[in-house]
């Protein structure tokens, strides 16, 4: 269960590899628990699991930020996402984005509708950075770097 | 849609451009040219909402170019600006003058045309901001560079044997009785006449009907930059880096110095211009210079007419530019042509 995952994670410096199938049976139990019961006691039990999950997230996030390794686990999507945010953050702060005030120049990589407008691959969008992140993660756009690494 | 009989009225574009700023967000459909991209960059610079540039006709605001004719349309209103560049219709300001002039002159250079009356008027007004205009040889940056380097960098006129060749350009300068450091402004009348004669010889070899008007034109200078070299730099960067370089120029005009410096650095290393020939629908230029747009200017002179699409043959590979091809890619685009 999550408490075991957390204990193991706390015992080591490196990120533990946690494939999703290693706790899929536990997930079924928790799903049934959530569906079957609605009393205060079970709500508190669920709350404890949620707090454990949050702690696991924080511990693993801390470790990832420390050494940048996080592949092969059920939560690698978090680290991939963080990688993109980190890349954007560094580029923004070091003058490698084509930007104007809060808007960043992006190239459209596949057909997408933004603000009701159809944009084709190769078109250009100047968007607020808060919109750039989700669209980039969904692989609809790429922020334009002044100099590609 | 367009009225071909109507006279150009670029002066009407200003009101239309001002109305763009009332939009919550804006999408511009534009052709992939340095002029249209710089125009868009300047509009975007002051626009408050989300801003889009499309290279298809998806947007309600369009910069339309057919041959040398241009229109700007927005929500049903349309202004025909004739042969004038899009950038020449932007509100004139000191902050955007570099981008405006780079847009104007890249259009003039790539289409091998003279400044329109409207564009000359813009240049005239820009004199208040330090722009100067003189009639002289078309070779780039002759006030700043030694004559041999200006000759070597000249793509219009294309000086067969001199363009791209440091050695041959230095030889010519020495034959005239000058040295590697001499600038055009230091030539006396006799040297000047000899130089002009030698240039005309080369130009008439390609085009027997060429006159002095083919080698002498209105030259525009701003902040020490020759707009011919600026136009070369924005075209070279569009070919090699893409629209982001030109958008950055519109946002931060001082980067022009870097664009000019890097382009000059590359061209001054020397480059070859070999055969120009037609292969299927393409005009091929054999060269070592990675810039289909710049080489298209040479191709126009060799073929004696506007030519499109142009591909360059670098080594054994063919490359072109989004300027000539419908492509989602930017930069040098590899083209598959069978030998």
């Amino acid at each position: 269960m999550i408490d075991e995952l957390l204990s193991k994670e706390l015992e080591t410096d490196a990120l533990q590899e946690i494939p999703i199938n290693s706790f899929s049976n536990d997930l079924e139990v928790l799903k049934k628990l959530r569906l079957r019961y609605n009393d205060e006691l079970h709500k508190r039990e669920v709350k404890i699991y949620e707090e454990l999950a949050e702690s696991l997230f924080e511990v693993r996030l801390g470790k990832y930020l420390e050494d940048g390794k996080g592949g092969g686990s059920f939560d690698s999507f978090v680290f991939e996402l963080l990688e993109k945010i980190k890349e954007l953050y560094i580029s923004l702060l070091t003058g490698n984005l084509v930007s104007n005030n809060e808007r960043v120049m992006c190239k459209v990589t596949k057909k997408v509708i933004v603000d009701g407008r159809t944009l084709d691959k190769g078109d250009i969008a100047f968007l607020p950075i808060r919109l750039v992140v989700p669209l980039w993660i969904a692989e609809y756009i790429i922020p334009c770097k002044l100099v590609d690494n | 849609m367009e009225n071909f009989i109507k006279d150009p009225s670029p002066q009407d574009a200003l009101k239309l451009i001002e109305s763009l700023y009332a939009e919550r967000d804006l999408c511009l459909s534009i052709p992939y040219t340095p002029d249209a991209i710089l125009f868009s960059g300047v509009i975007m610079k002051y626009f408050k909402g989300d801003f889009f540039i499309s290279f298809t006709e998806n947007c309600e605001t369009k910069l339309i170019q057919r041959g040398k004719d241009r229109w700007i349309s927005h929500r049903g209103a349309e202004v025909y600006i004739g042969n004038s560049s899009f950038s020449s219709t932007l509100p004139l300001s000191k902050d955007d003058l570099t981008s405006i002039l780079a847009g104007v002159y890249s259009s003039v250079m790539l289409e091998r045309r003279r400044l329109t009356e409207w564009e000359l008027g813009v240049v005239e007004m820009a004199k208040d901001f330090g722009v100067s205009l003189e009639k002289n040889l078309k070779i780039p940056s002759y006030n700043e560079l030694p004559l041999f380097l200006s000759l070597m960098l000249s793509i219009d006129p294309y000086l067969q044997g001199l363009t791209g060749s440091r050695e041959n350009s230095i030889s010519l300068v020495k034959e005239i009785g000058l040295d590697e450091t001499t600038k055009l402004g230091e030539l006396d009348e006799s040297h000047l006449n000899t130089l002009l004669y030698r240039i005309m010889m080369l130009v008439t070899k390609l085009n027997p009907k060429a006159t002095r008007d083919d080698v002498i034109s209105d030259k525009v200078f701003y902040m020490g930059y020759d707009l011919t070299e600026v136009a070369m730099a924005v075209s070279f960067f569009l070919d090699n880096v893409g629209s982001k370089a030109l958008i950055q120029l519109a946002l931060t005009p001082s980067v022009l110095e870097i664009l000019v410096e890097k382009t000059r650095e590359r061209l001054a290393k020397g480059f070859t211009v070999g055969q120009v020939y037609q292969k299927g629908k393409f005009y091929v230029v054999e060269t070592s210079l990675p810039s289909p747009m710049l080489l298209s200017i040479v191709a126009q002179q060799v073929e004696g007419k506007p030519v499109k699409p142009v591909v360059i043959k670098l080594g054994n590979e063919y490359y072109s530019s989004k300027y000539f091809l419908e492509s989602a890619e930017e930069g040098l685009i590899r083209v598959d042509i069978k030998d």
Side-chain angles (χ1 to χ4, degrees), chain B residues 6-270:
Chain B
K6 209 163 80 174
D7 285 333
S9 52
Q11 66 280 1
D12 295 340
L14 194 60
K15 201 180 268 180
L16 190 146
I17 289 169
E18 280 168 355
S19 72
L20 301 181
Y21 290 100
E23 298 291 325
R24 192 177 59 85
D25 49 54
L26 189 65
C27 182
L28 283 183
S29 283
I30 66 165
Y32 193 82
T33 64
D35 171 35
I37 293 167
L38 285 164
F39 175 97
S40 310
V42 172
I43 298 287
M44 189 278 288
K45 187 174 173 182
Y46 302 106
F47 194 77
K48 299 290 178 214
D50 293 346
F51 190 91
F52 308 95
I53 297 173
S54 175
F55 300 105
T56 58
E57 294 201 348
N58 286 338
C59 309
E60 74 279 5
T61 308
K62 295 181 176 70
L63 305 186
I64 303 157
Q65 182 167 354
R66 307 230 165 86
K68 290 179 185 173
D69 289 304
R70 293 173 181 83
W71 295 260
I72 302 176
S73 79
H74 175 60
R75 294 194 183 283
E78 188 174 281
V79 177
Y80 173 54
I81 61 171
N83 290 352
S84 295
S85 47
F86 296 115
S87 303
S88 69
T89 63
L90 286 165
L92 207 57
S93 76
K94 192 164 174 63
D95 283 347
D96 301 316
L97 196 53
T98 305
S99 316
I100 291 170
L101 293 174
V104 171
Y105 235 79
S106 57
S107 164
V108 166
M109 179 188 75
L110 288 163
E111 291 159 26
R112 300 199 69 236
R113 61 176 177 83
R114 295 195 175 272
L115 290 165
T116 63
E117 219 171 283
W118 168 260
E119 288 168 336
L120 274 168
V122 170
V123 170
E124 200 59 42
M125 281 193 284
K127 283 181 176 171
D128 293 343
F129 299 121
V131 168
S132 63
L133 181 71
E134 57 187 62
K135 219 175 181 67
N136 209 330
L137 279 175
K138 284 164 88 178
I139 57 173
S141 299
Y142 51 71
N143 287 332
E144 196 189 344
L145 301 176
L147 176 60
F148 88 86
L149 201 48
S150 284
L151 293 168
M152 182 186 167
L153 301 187
S154 178
I155 51 166
D156 193 355
Y158 166 49
L159 305 171
Q160 207 167 18
L162 300 185
T163 300
S165 169
R166 174 176 288 260
E167 208 173 65
N168 292 352
S169 299
I170 291 175
S171 291
L172 177 97
V173 166
K174 286 186 172 168
E175 278 170 36
I176 298 175
L178 311 165
D179 65 36
E180 292 98 321
T181 61
T182 315
K183 290 183 180 175
L184 183 71
E186 296 160 9
L187 268 62
D188 60 27
E189 207 178 330
S190 146
H191 283 134
L192 211 51
N193 284 335
T194 314
L195 175 70
L196 196 57
Y197 173 75
R198 295 295 295 267
I199 288 177
M200 283 308 296
M201 290 262 288
L202 291 171
V203 173
T204 47
K205 234 201 272 180
L206 280 180
N207 173 15
K209 288 181 189 162
T211 65
R212 284 190 172 210
D213 281 350
D214 291 287
V215 298
I216 291 171
S217 74
D218 291 319
K219 298 281 291 179
V220 181
F221 295 87
Y222 179 53
M223 289 170 64
Y225 294 111
D226 174 355
L227 267 296
T228 304
E229 198 180 12
V230 169
M232 288 166 71
V234 296
S235 304
F236 186 78
F237 265 79
L238 191 57
D239 269 345
N240 286 278
V241 178
S243 54
K244 62 185 180 183
L246 274 58
I247 295 290
Q248 190 61 61
L249 173 65
L251 295 173
T252 321
S254 57
V255 302
L256 179 67
E257 182 187 357
I258 301 161
L259 305 195
V260 169
E261 197 179 285
K262 292 194 87 126
T263 306
R264 186 187 289 175
E265 200 177 282
R266 172 60 192 89
L267 267 67
K269 276 184 187 163

Side-chain angles (χ1 to χ4, degrees), chain A residues 91-108:
Chain A
S91 294
L92 181 71
L93 272 182
T94 57
N96 202 18
L97 291 180
V98 182
S99 59
N100 185 29
N101 298 323
E102 57 159 18
R103 284 188 166 71
V104 173
M105 178 180 178
C106 301
K107 185 166 275 188
V108 176

Side-chain angles (χ1 to χ4, degrees), chain A residues 62-115:
Chain A
K63 284 186 182 181
Y64 174 76
L65 291 172
E66 198 68 26
D67 71 0
K69 291 175 193 158
S73 291
F74 79 99
D75 53 4
S76 56
F77 71 95
V78 175
F79 308 132
E80 285 165 14
L81 199 145
L82 274 173
E83 268 312 297
K84 288 200 164 178
I85 294 173
K86 188 167 78 179
E87 193 183 327
L88 199 66
Y89 190 94
I90 293 170
S91 294
L92 181 71
L93 272 182
T94 57
N96 202 18
L97 291 180
V98 182
S99 59
N100 185 29
N101 298 323
E102 57 159 18
R103 284 188 166 71
V104 173
M105 178 180 178
C106 301
K107 185 166 275 188
V108 176
T109 49
K110 62 183 174 194
K111 196 169 187 165
V112 61
I113 298 174
V114 183
D115 288 351

